[in-house]
Amino acid sequence: MNTPQDNSYAISANRLHDGIVVYLAQNHQWSTEPSHALSIPSHEHALNILKNTPIPHDIIEPYIININSQNHTPSLFREQLRTLGPSVRKDLGRQAEKIKYGE
Amino acid sequence: MYRYDEFDSQIVKERVQEFRRQINMRLDGQLSENEFKPLRLMNGLYLQLHAYMLRVAIPYGTLSSKQLHTLAFIADTYDKGYGHFTTRQNIQFNWPKLTEVADILDTLADVEMHALQTSGNCIRNVTTDHWAGIVKDEIEDPRPVAELIRQWSTLHPEFSYLPRKFKIALTGAHERDFDRAAINVHDIGLRARLHPQSQEIGYEVIVGGGLGRTPMIGFSLKKWIAKEQLLSYLSAVMKVYNLLGRRDNKYKARIKILVFETGPEKFQQMVEDAYAQSEHISIDVPQEEQKRIADYFAPPNTPKISPHDIQQYEQHILSQRKLHKNFDLWCRHNLAQHKIPGYTIANISLKPTGGIPGDMSSEQMRAVADLAEQYSFSEIRVSHYQNLVLPYVPLQHLFNVWQQLHERDLAAPHHNTISDIIACPGLDYCSLATARSIPVAQEISKRFADTEKQNLIGPLSLNISGCINACGHHHVGHIGILGLDKRGKEVYQLLLGGNPDQNAQIGSVIGPGFSYEDIPAAVETVVNTYIQIRKNQDETFLETYERVGKEPFKEVLYGNAP
Ligand code: HEM
Ligand code: SF4
């Protein structure tokens, strides 16, 4: 569970061409790595970024999620699954790549 | 076997071309996501939790070997080596890339398959009994009528923008027999019926059933209508629905709500009036056309097997059953009586112990496609229980077929038992989910893996959904589980007493929900309680539940606390 101090926000979306989950990172970049996600201190701030950041054409359905500012783990279980892949198929999704590269 | 006519394959091909253009326009920026989204949904392409998902229709649950080979090819070439069979005679691919979807649809179109009407507020793909046309003792094969409805409804301008999605299911089974198509929980359910006097085959029209947020059992709008007039009558139903259907609130836009709010008698009167008025524009279907369509569904040319040979094969099967316990169990649970002597209906399980209900690897698809080619006249059926069927297995090949299924983990001998669990994808895949359903199903199936125990329990269905949309039919499982989210934690409601068949009933919630960790044990408690309190081994779970009600179950689950 996040302590209130750890609570922060990030912006997640999907990639148009393959549907893969991405996060808004530094310098308007979008990354598949949640650890690269830009940690945003307040919801209001996140809303502002969402409104004012030009969303590239390859990015769809962006929305705000809660993360832990220390380790960038999403707070909601749904979002945790979204970063990893199906809990019933550890061989699929980003979790599988992690295993492959021995992280 | 069923084939599209040329007209339809032309339409499907053109639709793929059109969608390819639309995808390209989206990819190069000419279309915005808002403009594109309804177009992709019309072509069966959703955005899910991890990626896109493509839902492919399997009309009437009938597949050829060639089509199943194609699905395997798609799984390997464009996806991650598997597919997921749903409760609506569809298959879903979970990882397609937008850039390759048009190629997938082209590949499908080559074998007369498509993803049309698998999404959106249209008449969705019509579903039927998966044993249609093969099971002993049905009134008639309902698929020709289903096909008539499909031809009438596909891309019909008046039906492409309905207040809400619309689902139709048919069965040809007698009223006294098991309804395997769950017609009472569809927007429209149709059941073949003999006219009480003339004995002519017609259909009963049931309307206003459904699951989801507001589960309801349909009501019988018309006890019997001749096949010739059926489409005219359904047009009248759709007319009233389109006229009255609410578009202001999507949760109230289903026909079940309309029937409920209007009152069944008044609704019935309105349909009758519309039907009477529409006689001059009626779309009655002459017998020749009915016959032309019925010919698509002609059974394969099954060689006649003599009674003497049948007896020999049966003897052989009996002796193999004595030698192989699993084969024996499989014969007991997974076979059904065929209308043609010497053949049997063999149910393939996509629910191995601890497996993901409805998932099938490309390798398994190829194996089943080959088996069907050799031993089932190249035909496969898909059931809404998320299983497959080999519809024409000659008895002399039964043992061999079982061995091959067994080798591929496709012969779990628990058809219609508690391990034959229906589960929607839930939070592992679905973006609407509030909780996971697959791992709950996996854990429960492990706890009931013992076939002795399954036998002791007898027929018992367990259905799981990961949110109130009820894709896993939890309201009509004898035991149902609904996964919810309570302040960030998965919580599971337990429902008892649901029933999808001719005596359809919505299950009722037994009490406060259980945690992810505790729900499997709660199910075990319910089952053990049933075994303790049933009158005898023949009293089914539903009979016991009807006799004793909720209380005994509540007591063991929650103690006597108020
Ligand atoms: C994963 C993507 C899916 C999405 C986004 C989805 C969405 C929905 C929604 C929104 C409803 C509610 C309908 C309503 O309120 O009228 C629904 C109903 C239904 N879904 Fe799904 N579903 C998905 C997957 C599935 C799967 C995998 C199955 C089969 C296992 C399925 C079978 C059904 C059925 C049978 C209903 C009918 C309930 C009724 O009678 O209203 N769906 N779905
Ligand atoms: S019931 Fe809910 S969680 Fe399950 S597939 Fe349907 S929409 Fe998704």
Side-chain angles (χ1 to χ4, degrees):
Chain A
M1 238 12 225
N2 285 355
T3 62
Q5 306 87 285
D6 289 342
N7 194 33
S8 106
Y9 300 83
I11 294 172
S12 183
N14 294 74
R15 256 186 342 217
L16 172 71
H17 71 274
D18 60 2
I20 295 306
V21 176
V22 289
Y23 301 88
L24 179 64
Q26 303 286 341
N27 306 324
H28 303 294
Q29 297 298 304
W30 292 80
S31 165
T32 54
E33 262 302 313
S35 61
H36 298 163
L38 189 66
S39 173
I40 310 164
S42 75
H43 191 260
E44 203 186 351
H45 194 160
L47 269 179
N48 246 326
I49 292 180
L50 200 52
K51 229 187 263 159
N52 298 317
T53 307
I55 304 291
H57 171 63
D58 193 41
I59 298 299
I60 57 174
E61 312 217 345
Y63 63 98
I64 299 168
I65 63 169
N66 282 68
I67 61 167
N68 180 305
S69 58
Q70 302 302 314
N71 57 17
H72 289 218
T73 310
S75 318
L76 287 180
F77 184 52
R78 174 189 199 270
E79 292 304 325
Q80 289 169 14
L81 281 182
R82 225 169 136 254
T83 66
L84 295 170
S87 74
V88 293
R89 287 291 304 262
K90 301 282 190 212
D91 58 324
L92 301 177
R94 215 178 52 88
Q95 61 195 355
E97 284 154 34
K98 276 189 115 159
I99 293 162
K100 230 186 299 176
Y101 300 119
E103 276 183 39
Chain B
M1 200 179 124
Y2 171 61
R3 305 196 47 173
Y4 270 158
D5 37 33
E6 270 165 50
F7 170 68
D8 287 307
S9 17
Q10 183 74 21
I11 291 180
V12 169
K13 279 276 177 199
E14 281 170 14
R15 272 295 285 268
V16 177
Q17 274 175 21
E18 184 186 16
F19 189 42
R20 185 185 290 279
R21 273 196 303 276
Q22 291 161 342
I23 291 174
N24 288 337
M25 284 169 74
R26 175 69 189 108
L27 287 169
D28 67 21
Q30 294 179 60
L31 285 177
S32 71
E33 186 58 19
N34 280 344
E35 289 163 330
F36 180 65
K37 191 171 166 179
L39 299 174
R40 74 165 154 74
L41 286 174
M42 274 164 63
N43 288 283
L45 188 65
Y46 290 72
L47 186 63
Q48 283 301 298
L49 202 58
H50 310 291
Y52 289 106
M53 178 272 280
L54 183 69
R55 183 179 288 165
V56 177
I58 298 165
Y60 325 121
T62 308
L63 269 179
S64 67
S65 289
K66 193 169 154 201
Q67 289 173 324
L68 190 53
H69 269 299
T70 302
L71 294 176
F73 171 80
I74 289 170
D76 281 341
T77 314
Y78 301 109
D79 209 271
K80 302 208 177 200
Y82 70 108
H84 175 77
F85 286 95
T86 79
T87 48
R88 293 210 77 256
Q89 298 181 323
N90 292 314
I91 183 170
Q92 298 185 170
F93 291 107
N94 289 304
W95 308 89
K97 297 184 176 71
L98 182 61
T99 44
E100 295 179 343
V101 165
D103 293 339
I104 299 178
L105 293 174
D106 255 334
T107 310
L108 286 168
D110 288 341
V111 291
E112 303 181 315
M113 293 183 81
H114 61 79
L116 300 176
Q117 287 175 309
T118 60
S119 165
N121 296 334
C122 60
I123 296 190
R124 297 291 185 87
N125 64 310
V126 177
T127 54
T128 61
D129 182 351
H130 46 275
W131 292 349
I134 48 176
V135 67
K136 198 174 154 102
D137 253 353
E138 78 185 336
I139 293 179
E140 74 163 359
D141 182 348
R143 292 175 302 164
V145 171
E147 170 64 6
L148 211 57
I149 294 171
R150 186 195 68 78
Q151 294 192 0
W152 159 74
S153 64
T154 302
L155 312 175
H156 186 307
E158 199 178 332
F159 304 149
S160 62
Y161 181 60
L162 292 169
R164 199 77 173 82
K165 61 168 123 172
F166 204 90
K167 297 177 180 175
I168 302 180
L170 291 91
T171 176
H174 280 278
E175 196 178 8
R176 60 171 189 268
D177 291 334
F178 198 65
D179 162 18
R180 282 169 295 268
I183 59 169
N184 285 300
V185 289
H186 280 75
D187 295 287
I188 291 182
L190 298 169
R191 179 207 305 283
R193 259 182 184 279
L194 297 173
H195 190 278
Q197 277 90 46
S198 70
Q199 298 291 299
E200 181 188 339
I201 296 176
Y203 277 79
E204 177 181 359
V205 181
I206 292 165
V207 66
L211 302 173
R213 187 177 290 258
T214 323
M216 286 192 192
I217 303 294
F219 105 102
S220 181
L221 192 63
K222 188 119 186 136
K223 280 281 177 245
W224 188 91
I225 183 132
K227 283 199 269 181
E228 255 175 292
Q229 276 91 46
L230 183 62
L231 289 188
S232 303
Y233 193 78
L234 293 182
S235 300
V237 176
M238 297 312 290
K239 192 163 196 164
V240 173
Y241 174 52
N242 242 337
L243 216 67
L244 290 182
R246 294 177 58 155
R247 289 167 196 267
D248 57 327
N249 178 341
K250 78 171 187 170
Y251 300 120
K252 298 198 164 174
R254 297 293 291 264
I255 195 169
K256 59 191 176 189
I257 308 283
L258 182 63
V259 172
F260 181 76
E261 289 187 346
T262 315
E265 287 78 25
K266 177 144 186 247
F267 185 84
Q268 195 167 29
Q269 194 51 53
M270 292 177 76
V271 171
E272 288 297 330
D273 291 348
Y275 180 54
Q277 280 165 21
S278 72
E279 228 141 30
H280 57 291
I281 51 153
S282 67
I283 31 168
D284 289 354
V285 185
Q287 301 231 329
E288 308 82 76
E289 178 61 8
Q290 286 182 42
K291 176 160 181 334
R292 192 182 72 85
I293 290 180
D295 286 346
Y296 287 147
F297 294 93
N301 227 339
T302 46
K304 202 167 153 41
I305 305 176
S306 75
H308 172 263
D309 285 351
I310 292 177
Q311 213 176 18
Q312 262 196 337
Y313 300 144
E314 282 174 346
Q315 278 304 325
H316 180 68
I317 289 171
L318 269 180
S319 55
Q320 295 291 0
R321 284 176 69 162
K322 289 199 183 109
L323 293 174
H324 304 271
K325 182 173 168 231
N326 279 329
F327 179 57
D328 180 51
L329 282 166
W330 185 77
C331 288
R332 224 182 312 158
H333 289 287
N334 291 36
L335 301 184
Q337 245 195 338
H338 209 287
K339 70 176 183 190
I340 308 172
Y343 292 82
T344 187
I345 300 171
N347 291 284
I348 297 173
S349 172
L350 299 184
K351 328 268 181 76
T353 300
I356 298 178
D359 271 17
M360 192 177 197
S361 71
S362 55
E363 190 199 344
Q364 289 176 319
M365 291 180 203
R366 277 190 293 271
V368 169
D370 288 342
L371 266 180
E373 200 170 325
Q374 282 181 63
Y375 303 118
S376 189
F377 298 86
S378 294
E379 189 172 326
I380 301 109
R381 299 289 180 87
V382 178
S383 81
H384 87 264
Y385 298 89
Q386 302 178 287
N387 288 317
L388 303 188
V389 179
L390 289 174
Y392 293 97
V393 179
L395 289 179
Q396 71 261 41
H397 298 303
L398 188 66
F399 184 67
N400 185 2
V401 166
W402 171 77
Q403 278 184 312
Q404 298 199 41
L405 291 173
H406 187 65
E407 267 169 34
R408 316 257 174 197
D409 221 5
L410 291 165
H414 54 217
H415 200 62
N416 286 342
T417 74
I418 188 163
S419 298
D420 193 6
I421 301 171
I422 292 180
C424 78
L427 195 53
D428 281 296
Y429 289 98
C430 177
S431 61
L432 302 174
T434 38
R436 284 172 294 170
S437 30
I438 295 169
V440 174
Q442 289 175 305
E443 176 57 27
I444 294 174
S445 92
K446 283 186 209 154
R447 289 184 185 221
F448 289 97
D450 179 4
T451 48
E452 300 294 334
K453 179 140 197 195
Q454 287 166 12
N455 280 338
L456 180 71
I457 300 166
L460 179 56
S461 70
L462 175 65
N463 296 357
I464 311 178
S465 305
C467 83
I468 54 168
N469 286 322
C471 304
H473 290 200
H474 64 274
H475 299 109
V476 290
H478 301 162
I479 300 177
I481 296 176
L482 166 61
L484 297 168
D485 172 307
K486 266 222 170 114
R487 277 172 257 116
K489 280 244 174 287
E490 293 166 300
V491 166
Y492 295 85
Q493 272 185 356
L494 195 55
L495 292 85
L496 300 183
N499 186 2
D501 64 21
Q502 64 281 16
N503 307 309
Q505 220 165 287
I506 303 293
S508 50
V509 178
I510 184 93
F514 297 87
S515 68
Y516 175 76
E517 290 74 23
D518 291 342
I519 185 68
V523 170
E524 277 191 311
T525 303
V526 167
V527 174
N528 290 337
T529 307
Y530 152 63
I531 291 172
Q532 274 165 26
I533 63 180
R534 66 184 173 187
K535 271 189 184 151
N536 53 46
Q537 214 177 333
D538 292 333
E539 192 180 60
T540 63
F541 177 80
L542 278 184
E543 286 162 351
T544 302
Y545 180 75
E546 235 148 65
R547 181 168 58 79
V548 303
K550 276 187 196 175
E551 286 313 315
F553 297 101
K554 264 175 112 158
E555 228 174 273
V556 284
L557 284 169
Y558 303 104
N560 291 320

